[in-house]
Amino acid sequence: MKKTLITLVTLLFICQGVFSQKVLTKDERMQWWREARFGMFIHWGVYSVPAGTWNGRQIGSIGEWIMNRGKIPVADYQAMAKQFNPVNYDPDAWVKMAKDAGMKYIVITSKHHDGFALFETKASKWNVVDATLYGKDLLKPLAEACKKYGIRLGFYYSQAQDWNNPGGSAARKLTKEGWANPDSVTIDAYTKEHKGHWDPAQETKTFAQYIDDVAVPQVKELLTNYGDLAVLWWDTPTNMTDDAATKLQSLLALQPAIITNDRLKRPNFPGDHKTPEQKIPNLKDLDGTDWETCMTMNGTWGYKSYDHNYKTPETLIHNLVDIASKGGNFLLNVGPTDLGEFPAESVDLLAKMGQWMKINGEAIYGTKASPWGLFDWGRCTVKTTKSGTSLYFSVFNWPVDGKLIIPDFNNKVVAAKLIATGTSLKTTVSKDNTLTINLPSKAPDTIASVVRIDVRGNIEANIGNEPKK
Ligand code: FHN
């Protein structure tokens, strides 16, 4: 009798545990992400040592691809890890810079295509603890700093391409895409025969073995050892199989609230959101799926010492507003140096974006896409409030006649003001439902000034494809 009672109580306990673990819906998981709108991408690894130059030659294309583009042998590339010694790495300062820029989450390359793990791992010696003088896990202190500042943390993981751990795949690139290698004919013939690989050391295991020996255990480590994770950001599904994708996807159950992208394997593992790269979609390309544009500040993801071709603060702020006005997120990249520092230009751009966000952030966070589509003078975002709706008109080109014109306006204006100055603005709505907002002669912000219009009720969705005059 006593035994039966104990069994019953134990069963009740287990059942309670199972049922109290609520399964989150996609909308519940995506809620913070949809409100965040702005995040930081970080591409960091051994490639920051050569920083775009190998054997005295500047290797073409993006910095983190130097091993593949330059056809650097495995042993030579791994020797560079000895110089990867980020003694100036200050995760607290990194997270603070992201936060001050107005970013709400960070996604860092835990392992890029060169296979180098920025974390302690039992699955491969090719990691920061075992292969560098620095010898410490880089992700642990970042996770702590994110927690301290209330920034969500996500990990990028190159699940298929891995040029150092044997068996990993390699997208085939011709030697001419890196530099004018005199052995190009031989090398290109070799990569053709060897699925893109250029060094026999890359092929001592099969892809399936690589997945079981490296990718699966490492993803398990990442999902277990760093607390709550916001995002798992897969990349380049080169040669992925359904079997491998299924194994990796099933691990996500370790983090029930995690969000993933659409790059695990195409097309049958769509994830939670799309990932337009280096471009902002046109309205006509959007189908209601969540999306996030990832973009570099200059021309490379991983640090290249000689790429100073940075976008202007104006371009980046306009991009952020444009993306929000279309209902997407902006994941803006920083490529730190081998010493663990953000490039000076990135620091400056982050600070400038932060200055704008500090004043105008309410036009971005928690907003939804513009009901009017695009305006040729700027963009619109919308937010539902307790008493109605707030419309944010971000004006890029200040009208010379001082009048901002919004067609098809069917609501009653409750309040109108310029966010930067708090100045109330006079508005009129004509019989043909055109809203005219009277602006002061000078824009408070030369990049983008935000006008907030509070109205009663909801705005009827009416997304158009063409810029409205
Ligand atoms: O090959 C990578 C590239 O290095 C970079 O990581 C970008 C970021 O989205 N993803 C891949 C290219 O699509």
Side-chain angles (χ1 to χ4, degrees):
M1 178 67 185
K2 198 176 165 200
K3 213 172 156 197
T4 323
L5 200 69
I6 292 174
T7 318
L8 265 174
V9 171
T10 317
L11 261 175
L12 201 71
F13 202 68
I14 293 171
C15 284
Q16 247 187 348
V18 170
F19 291 121
S20 64
Q21 201 187 351
K22 190 173 169 276
V23 178
L24 299 171
T25 63
K26 179 170 177 185
D27 280 343
E28 284 169 336
R29 284 187 297 112
M30 297 301 285
Q31 195 186 336
W32 73 265
W33 189 92
R34 289 174 184 151
E35 283 171 11
R37 290 284 173 249
F38 190 26
M40 177 183 279
F41 217 178
I42 301 178
H43 276 68
W44 198 29
V46 167
Y47 41 80
S48 60
V49 172
T53 304
W54 188 63
N55 268 351
R57 288 186 191 88
Q58 292 191 349
I59 306 297
S61 189
I62 38 186
E64 70 282 5
W65 272 76
I66 192 167
M67 182 178 178
N68 188 327
R69 301 290 174 133
K71 298 290 171 281
I72 303 177
V74 167
D76 291 354
Y77 191 81
Q78 292 195 3
M80 286 194 264
K82 299 271 176 296
Q83 294 164 59
F84 183 74
N85 194 15
V87 287
N88 297 342
Y89 176 46
D90 183 352
D92 202 273
W94 283 18
V95 177
K96 195 160 180 313
M97 276 190 271
K99 190 175 172 106
D100 290 346
M103 293 158 159
K104 299 286 187 187
Y105 61 108
I106 291 176
V107 178
I108 186 169
T109 51
S110 63
K111 181 191 90 147
H112 202 265
H113 309 332
D114 68 352
F116 181 74
L118 295 189
F119 56 100
E120 186 172 13
T121 169
K122 294 193 175 69
S124 163
K125 290 278 174 218
W126 182 228
N127 72 76
V128 65
V129 179
D130 294 310
T132 73
L133 286 176
Y134 189 74
K136 284 174 280 185
D137 188 315
L138 294 163
L139 303 183
K140 279 252 160 77
L142 187 67
E144 279 157 26
C146 282
K147 209 166 168 197
K148 174 175 163 190
Y149 288 103
I151 295 288
R152 306 220 184 209
L153 177 64
F155 291 149
Y156 166 113
Y157 188 85
S158 176
Q159 75 280 15
Q161 284 207 74
D162 191 318
W163 308 324
N164 277 281
N165 288 300
S169 64
R172 181 165 180 251
K173 297 287 171 197
L174 296 177
T175 45
K176 67 173 185 226
E177 293 182 54
W179 64 286
N181 193 321
D183 297 327
S184 62
V185 174
T186 318
I187 295 172
D188 289 345
Y190 186 93
T191 59
K192 193 167 181 210
E193 284 303 306
H194 292 264
K195 287 192 179 159
H197 297 106
W198 55 95
D199 184 328
Q202 296 169 317
E203 292 183 288
T204 56
K205 281 188 181 183
T206 63
F207 182 69
Q209 284 171 327
Y210 153 77
I211 289 290
D212 289 342
D213 296 351
V214 179
V216 167
Q218 286 193 338
V219 170
K220 206 182 274 178
E221 289 170 333
L222 290 169
L223 295 173
T224 314
N225 298 341
Y226 299 88
D228 287 342
L229 272 199
V231 173
L232 202 304
W233 218 96
W234 310 112
D235 204 9
T236 65
T238 313
N239 301 333
M240 271 303 274
T241 59
D242 279 356
D243 187 45
T246 305
K247 282 179 184 168
L248 291 169
Q249 179 153 279
S250 67
L251 295 173
L252 299 177
L254 291 164
Q255 295 270 348
I258 207 160
I259 290 167
T260 61
N261 68 4
D262 60 347
R263 296 189 182 189
L264 176 58
K265 180 179 181 291
R266 291 192 170 110
N268 49 339
F269 291 80
D272 295 309
H273 66 87
K274 293 189 183 179
T275 51
E277 181 167 320
Q278 300 286 38
K279 60 171 185 261
I280 302 172
N282 295 317
L283 285 173
K284 67 175 168 39
D285 301 326
L286 300 173
D287 61 3
T289 313
D290 292 288
W291 59 278
E292 172 187 70
T293 281
C294 55
M295 193 176 277
T296 52
M297 287 186 181
N298 51 354
T300 180
W301 304 91
Y303 179 66
K304 264 175 108 170
S305 61
Y306 48 91
D307 184 342
H308 301 289
N309 190 20
Y310 281 81
K311 297 176 180 74
T312 61
E314 182 181 57
T315 298
L316 292 178
I317 290 167
H318 285 185
N319 283 353
L320 174 60
V321 179
D322 185 26
I323 288 168
S325 84
K326 295 170 179 170
N329 279 17
F330 192 26
L331 189 63
L332 183 60
N333 185 71
V334 176
T337 68
D338 57 329
L339 285 174
E341 291 164 356
F342 283 5
E345 293 99 327
S346 299
V347 173
D348 189 46
L349 284 166
L350 289 170
K352 296 221 163 85
M353 293 192 84
Q355 281 161 21
W356 189 86
M357 283 295 276
K358 204 166 173 198
I359 293 167
N360 302 294
E362 65 172 279
I364 304 295
Y365 303 128
T367 58
K368 293 205 163 59
S370 163
W372 284 273
L374 316 179
F375 294 101
D376 61 358
W377 45 257
R379 296 291 181 266
C380 169
T381 51
V382 178
K383 200 185 287 183
T384 306
T385 62
K386 274 187 200 138
S387 51
T389 307
S390 291
L391 302 166
Y392 296 94
F393 296 108
S394 296
V395 187
F396 302 164
N397 306 313
W398 201 249
V400 277
D401 65 356
K403 291 188 190 318
L404 201 63
I405 308 293
I406 321 290
D408 305 324
F409 189 84
N410 303 305
N411 293 67
K412 185 163 169 30
V413 175
V414 176
K417 70 171 187 175
L418 256 182
I419 284 190
T421 56
T423 315
S424 289
L425 303 172
K426 205 168 154 270
T427 62
T428 53
V429 182
S430 64
K431 276 194 186 130
D432 68 349
N433 293 344
T434 300
L435 170 69
T436 303
I437 307 167
N438 294 284
L439 301 173
S441 56
K442 205 168 164 280
D445 190 312
T446 51
I447 292 179
S449 306
V450 180
V451 173
R452 190 178 95 196
I453 303 284
D454 297 329
V455 300
R456 295 231 173 90
N458 297 322
I459 302 287
E460 267 177 49
N462 171 34
I463 292 185
N465 295 335
E466 300 301 323
K468 297 258 166 51
K469 302 276 174 203

